[in-house]
């Protein structure tokens, strides 16, 4: 992303605008919208490591403020280490927030680590995807994959996420559960708006297939004759 390019220039004391960027791409065939969305209350998606920098607690806190007035569910994909979970203070905090949501009548499904093969179908069960990261996301692959599945997108305005989103979603400040709750409420309360936002996200993803990434790389690193 351009955000990473500017950081590299600063960290390595390079001249301004001397580093080019190439966004990640997405497999549009594997990650595609379902024919119809699942019936019932909308499901909110989180995909990523469950470390503090990813801000899952911000999402769960925002959902708590919506729990008494709205029906929805939450699906969490990921662990705090690749393929396994280690308990720590932050994981205990997430467990406590999950229990509070459960007590308020909100179903929270924590799938843990999901294989690449199983991920598309897990995402197609959802309606809204949230990236509540505290850190500066470089060029989030999971964000692109959720866009390609046609989920309505809400992300924190950090790192390369705004560039990746390209206007096809809602940006909120980092570490701000109130702003996140407001953005989610607007989607949960308006099925048509949620659907349209998902369609916008899919169209944006269609502009970023892996073939386009390869073409751009070749501009900067052409193959030898």
């Amino acid at each position: 992303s351009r955000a990473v390019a500017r950081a590299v220039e600063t960290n390595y004391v390079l001249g301004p605008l001397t580093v080019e960027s190439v966004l990640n791409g997405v497999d549009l065939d594997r990650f595609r919208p379902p024919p119809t969305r699942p019936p019932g209350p909308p499901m909110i998606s989180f995909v990523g490591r469950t470390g503090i920098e990813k801000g899952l607690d911000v999402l769960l806190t925002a959902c708590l403020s919506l729990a008494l007035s709205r029906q929805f569910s939450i699906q969490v994909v990921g662990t705090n280490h690749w393929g396994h979970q280690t308990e720590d203070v932050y994981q205990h905090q997430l467990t406590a927030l999950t229990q509070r949501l459960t007590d308020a009548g909100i179903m929270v499904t924590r799938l843990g680590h999901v294989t690449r093969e199983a991920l598309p179908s897990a995402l197609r069960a959802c309606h809204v995807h949230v990236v509540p990261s505290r850190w500066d996301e470089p060029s989030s692959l999971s964000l692109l994959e959720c866009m390609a599945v046609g989920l309505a997108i809400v992300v924190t305005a950090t790192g390369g996420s705004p560039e990746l989103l390209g206007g096809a979603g809602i940006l909120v400040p980092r570490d701000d559960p109130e702003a996140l709750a407001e953005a989610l409420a607007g989607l949960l309360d308006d099925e048509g708006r949620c659907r349209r936002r998902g369609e916008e996200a899919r169209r944006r993803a269609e502009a970023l297939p892996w073939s386009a990434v390869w073409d751009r790389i070749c501009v900067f690193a052409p193959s030898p004759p």
Side-chain angles (χ1 to χ4, degrees):
S1 63
R2 288 192 293 265
V4 173
R6 303 293 80 81
V8 169
E9 291 164 357
T10 299
N11 291 341
Y12 291 95
V13 198
L14 305 174
L17 303 179
T18 56
V19 176
E20 297 286 352
S21 61
V22 181
L23 290 173
N24 266 332
V26 63
D27 185 334
L28 295 169
D29 293 326
R30 290 188 63 238
F31 293 91
R32 63 187 186 280
T36 58
R37 291 291 166 193
M43 180 180 287
I44 297 170
S45 161
F46 172 93
V47 179
R49 286 181 294 105
T50 59
I52 192 169
E53 73 281 2
K54 291 290 190 175
L56 177 55
D57 64 295
V58 180
L59 171 58
L60 298 180
T61 300
C63 288
L64 269 173
S65 69
L66 303 172
L68 295 180
S69 57
R70 292 167 178 86
Q71 285 296 310
F72 60 93
S73 60
I74 304 168
Q75 176 178 276
V76 177
V77 173
T79 56
N80 61 342
H81 296 285
W82 183 258
H84 71 279
Q85 179 84 2
T86 300
E87 292 303 313
D88 55 29
V89 172
Y90 184 67
Q91 303 309 307
H92 291 315
Q93 179 183 348
L94 296 179
T95 298
L97 286 168
T98 298
Q99 186 60 56
R100 289 177 63 189
L101 282 160
T102 301
D103 293 344
I106 302 300
M107 178 181 293
V108 182
T109 304
R110 298 193 64 172
L111 297 180
H113 178 74
V114 171
T115 65
R116 295 295 296 166
E117 293 75 19
L119 183 58
S121 60
L123 297 181
R124 282 192 281 269
C126 301
H127 301 78
V128 179
H129 180 65
V130 179
V131 182
S133 289
R134 292 185 168 95
W135 82 310
D136 289 334
E137 291 282 349
S139 184
S140 172
L141 183 59
S142 63
L143 170 56
L144 262 176
E145 291 168 347
C146 290
M147 291 165 63
V149 170
L151 304 185
I153 305 293
V154 184
V155 304
T156 51
T158 67
S161 293
E163 181 186 1
L164 205 60
L165 197 59
I170 301 170
L171 295 171
V172 295
R174 78 178 85 204
D175 233 338
D176 191 336
E178 291 81 11
L180 178 53
E182 182 178 353
L184 288 173
L187 295 171
L188 297 176
D189 293 346
D190 189 334
E191 182 179 348
R193 180 171 185 247
C194 187
R195 183 184 65 256
R196 290 190 298 272
R197 282 295 194 177
E199 291 168 351
E200 290 173 6
R202 172 66 189 188
R203 285 194 296 271
R204 170 58 176 164
E206 288 173 348
L208 295 166
W210 282 115
S211 59
V213 174
W214 178 248
D215 289 344
R216 183 159 171 77
I217 290 173
C218 289
V219 170
F220 305 117
S223 301

